[in-house]
């Protein structure tokens, strides 16, 4: 049990190798928004909104995020700060029971899996940024052919390596480096988003896209929409993988957890709103079908941008935006196994960062080359290696991790209320959600997304 001794509050002795790392108050908010705002907001959210019901789906997503996502986010942050440690040790310290160490293992497996395909897609965005800025994607290009040729080759591995190098370089600098990086990039993201939004809202026909995104038609919803919305609220807030828990461990003791969780959840929602206000007006103005799935950002949008005056500039900015959002999330994903190995095996940060970055890169290679079929034989059953890792991480590990967090705070950890610092009324609401509502819904999402139950 010695490994899991409760550290003396903030004495700084709770990390390997001396002084504990900390975020400043605003640093935590920026880093956590950086983690939550990512490809989930800019790439996945628009295409699932297109597929599962437009504005009505957006409304459902908002409700799931506020009602379930924020309480679970608060729970993860409280565990991280209360246990002052990574998922490897925080739950064990708080409960005194070794069995909760399993969550740590689950979260590093989850982080590795997500990272392995996430860094690949992040690499695509860099490649498309370069292509668009160099004006290689002019009007009349065969955009679908271009995309499939690219992902079917070996170039994605090179871009994935670039993503891992940048990510590793930032994580190497620890909490203060992560904070600095996010404090520069997250505001830049808003500026680019607003600039692009103003431009696309001026396009002829943009209004139909705004209507599709903001005027709900409830007849478009299915039972599946509800589950997809909840699953996405978890993915978008980076829950269930120990990322928010790991960042929570670097939080200031005096910072209010409730307002931090609201700020992060609200920030994530705002970015999703802005992304939708760019993507739907653009697709509608150019007569592109919004429900076409994952190709939306890499095939449909470059086509639309190429038809705009100075489209290379707007298209290039769009891909820079995607790349920044993806990198800030990659940093939080890599930090999970890095913090874990520092806590668990007392490694120093440089060793932890180098070893885990190399491993993440290696695990990601099969993803990078399987999705476009560059190498045959990396398909099992209906899915490629890439699709399997996405499926296992997003549909199985993520809900399972979320369930563990809700059960732990709802039923096991007695001091959760004190750590969260909520008023008595809010505490009751929070506990009610964590004990009854969230676990039930998470189990439903799990049964549905793993294919066990069909609705
Ligand atoms: N929240 C990120 C996004 O929306 C993805 C992510 C999931 C990051 C889990 C970290 C952990 O893109």
């Amino acid at each position: 049990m010695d490994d899991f001794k409760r550290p003396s509050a903030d004495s700084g002795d709770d990390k390997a190798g001396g002084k504990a790392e900390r975020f400043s108050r605003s640093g935590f908010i920026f880093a956590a928004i950086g983690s939550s705002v990512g490809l989930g907001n800019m790439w996945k959210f628009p295409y699932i909104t297109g597929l599962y019901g437009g504005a009505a789906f957006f409304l459902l997503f908002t409700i799931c995020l506020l009602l379930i996502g924020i309480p679970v986010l608060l729970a993860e942050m409280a565990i991280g700060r209360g246990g002052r440690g990574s998922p490897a040790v925080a739950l064990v310290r708080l409960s005194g029971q070794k069995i909760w160490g399993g969550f740590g293992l689950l979260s590093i497996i989850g982080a590795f899996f997500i990272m392995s395909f996430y860094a690949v897609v992040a690499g695509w965005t860099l490649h498309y940024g370069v292509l668009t800025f160099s004006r290689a994607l002019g009007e009349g290009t065969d955009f679908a052919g271009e995309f499939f040729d690219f992902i079917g080759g070996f170039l994605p591995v090179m871009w994935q390596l670039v993503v891992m190098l940048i990510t590793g370089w930032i994580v190497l600098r620890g909490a203060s480096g992560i904070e600095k990086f996010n404090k520069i990039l997250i505001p830049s993201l808003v500026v680019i988003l607003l600039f692009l939004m103003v431009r696309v809202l001026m396009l002829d026909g943009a209004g139909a896209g705004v209507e599709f995104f903001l005027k709900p038609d409830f007849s478009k919803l299915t039972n599946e929409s509800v589950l997809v919305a909840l699953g996405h609220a978890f993915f978008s807030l980076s829950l269930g993988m120990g990322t928010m828990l790991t960042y929570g461990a670097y939080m200031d003791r005096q910072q209010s957890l409730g307002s931090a969780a609201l700020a992060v959840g609200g920030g994530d929602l705002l970015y999703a709103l802005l992304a939708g206000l760019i993507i739907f007006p653009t697709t509608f103005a150019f007569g592109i079908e919004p429900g076409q799935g994952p190709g939306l950002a890499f095939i449909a949008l470059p086509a639309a941008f190429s038809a705009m005056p100075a489209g290379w500039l707007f298209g290039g900015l769009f891909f820079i935006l995607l790349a920044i959002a993806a990198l800030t999330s990659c940093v939080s994903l890599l930090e999970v196994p890095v913090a874990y190995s520092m806590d668990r095996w007392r490694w120093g940060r440089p060793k932890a960062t180098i070893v885990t970055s190399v491993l993440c890169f290696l695990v990601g290679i099969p993803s990078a080359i399987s999705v476009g079929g560059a190498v045959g034989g990396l398909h099992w059953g209906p899915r490629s290696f890439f699709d399997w890792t996405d499926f296992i991480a997003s549909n199985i590990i993520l809900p399972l991790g979320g369930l563990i967090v809700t059960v732990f705070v709802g039923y096991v950890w007695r001091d959760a209320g004190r750590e969260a610092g909520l008023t008595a009324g809010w505490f009751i609401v929070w506990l009610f959600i964590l004990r009854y509502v969230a676990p039930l819904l998470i189990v439903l999402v799990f049964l549905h997304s793993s294919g066990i139950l069909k609705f």
Side-chain angles (χ1 to χ4, degrees):
M1 269 320 277
D2 258 9
D3 276 356
F4 303 118
K5 254 192 338 227
R6 185 82 172 79
S8 51
D10 263 339
S11 57
D13 61 352
D14 45 343
K15 268 273 180 276
K19 186 95 179 70
E21 301 183 38
R22 292 286 177 267
F23 284 136
S24 72
R25 292 185 189 194
S26 61
F28 172 80
I29 307 277
F30 278 110
I33 292 184
S35 170
S36 68
V37 174
L39 294 167
N41 303 58
M42 318 273 169
W43 169 62
K44 203 168 175 183
F45 170 70
Y47 83 71
I48 57 177
T49 302
L51 287 172
Y52 291 99
F57 179 83
F58 180 41
L59 195 67
L60 259 185
F61 168 71
T62 307
I63 295 171
C64 291
L65 188 134
L66 297 176
L67 227 62
I68 313 287
I70 292 184
V72 178
L73 170 65
L74 178 59
E76 270 206 32
M77 285 160 45
I79 298 175
R81 191 174 72 176
R84 272 292 184 234
S86 75
V89 297
L91 280 79
V92 180
R93 270 185 188 147
L94 294 173
S95 63
Q97 299 162 346
K98 269 201 162 164
I99 184 173
W100 293 99
F103 176 73
L105 273 181
L106 187 78
S107 60
I108 57 167
I109 296 171
F112 264 105
F113 270 122
I114 290 218
M115 189 76 180
S116 69
F117 70 87
Y118 202 90
V120 171
V121 183
W124 298 352
T125 66
L126 287 175
H127 175 75
Y128 266 76
V130 171
L131 278 188
T132 322
F133 269 128
S134 62
R135 306 189 192 199
L137 299 176
E139 220 178 335
T141 308
D142 167 14
F143 287 94
E146 176 79 36
F147 178 63
F148 290 115
D149 276 354
F150 164 61
I151 62 171
F154 286 94
L155 206 53
V157 179
M158 197 270 293
W159 284 111
Q160 181 215 351
L161 177 65
V162 174
V163 170
M164 283 315 306
L165 285 173
I166 303 176
T167 309
W169 177 70
I170 295 154
V171 168
L172 199 57
R173 286 144 196 267
S176 66
I178 296 175
E179 166 169 345
K180 227 180 272 162
F181 168 77
N182 279 290
K183 274 186 165 168
I184 299 169
L185 290 187
I186 293 301
S188 330
L189 216 57
V190 182
V191 174
I192 305 178
L193 272 168
L194 289 175
F195 177 70
L196 282 176
M197 188 185 77
V198 170
R199 173 66 189 96
V200 302
L201 287 179
M202 287 173 354
L203 292 167
D204 277 345
V210 177
E211 193 166 305
F212 174 81
F213 184 49
L214 295 182
K215 194 163 161 226
D217 168 2
F218 292 101
S219 66
K220 286 192 190 158
L221 290 182
T222 59
N223 290 343
E224 210 175 354
S225 309
V226 182
L227 300 171
V228 173
L230 185 62
H232 188 64
F234 267 69
F235 184 82
S236 193
L237 286 178
S238 308
L239 300 176
M241 296 279 153
T243 39
M244 291 301 181
L245 190 157
T246 304
Y247 275 3
Y250 306 139
M251 255 181 126
D252 184 314
R253 277 257 180 256
Q254 312 310 325
Q255 186 161 7
S256 152
L257 283 186
S259 17
L262 274 180
V264 175
D268 188 59
L269 196 59
L270 181 74
Y271 279 87
L273 176 74
L274 291 176
L277 283 176
I278 291 172
I279 287 166
F280 295 111
T282 312
T283 49
F284 275 77
F286 289 93
I288 292 164
E289 173 52 41
Q292 58 175 265
L296 188 62
F298 295 98
I299 300 171
L301 284 175
F305 284 122
S306 77
M308 257 185 219
W312 61 272
L313 174 66
F314 298 108
L317 279 176
F318 175 75
F319 284 110
I320 295 289
L321 185 84
L322 281 184
I324 294 177
L327 276 171
T328 52
S329 299
C330 282
V331 166
S332 73
L333 279 166
L334 186 63
E335 181 62 17
V336 173
V338 167
Y340 183 97
S341 37
M342 286 164 66
D343 257 359
R344 194 74 188 86
W345 301 303
R346 306 267 158 211
W347 289 2
R349 185 169 277 277
K351 177 177 172 188
T353 309
I354 292 167
V355 172
T356 51
S357 303
V358 171
L359 280 175
C360 273
F361 171 63
L362 295 178
V363 177
I365 292 178
S367 276
I369 55 181
S370 69
V371 62
V375 172
L378 280 173
H379 269 71
W380 291 277
R383 297 186 178 88
S384 65
F385 188 89
F386 177 99
D387 293 331
W388 272 114
T389 48
D390 181 15
F391 177 78
I392 294 172
S394 311
N395 298 345
I396 296 179
I397 299 182
L398 204 131
L400 204 61
L403 190 64
I404 293 176
V405 167
T406 54
V407 169
F408 186 79
V409 175
Y411 296 95
V412 179
W413 179 26
R414 296 273 158 236
D415 274 344
R418 193 173 336 137
E419 185 65 48
L422 301 173
T423 58
W426 280 117
F427 176 64
I428 292 171
V429 174
W430 185 51
L431 210 60
F432 181 78
I433 293 176
L434 292 181
R435 281 197 169 166
Y436 309 107
V437 188
L440 188 78
L441 287 172
I442 293 172
V443 168
L444 277 179
V445 168
F446 172 74
L447 292 177
H448 168 261
S449 57
S450 58
I452 297 175
L453 260 190
K454 294 254 172 286
F455 293 90

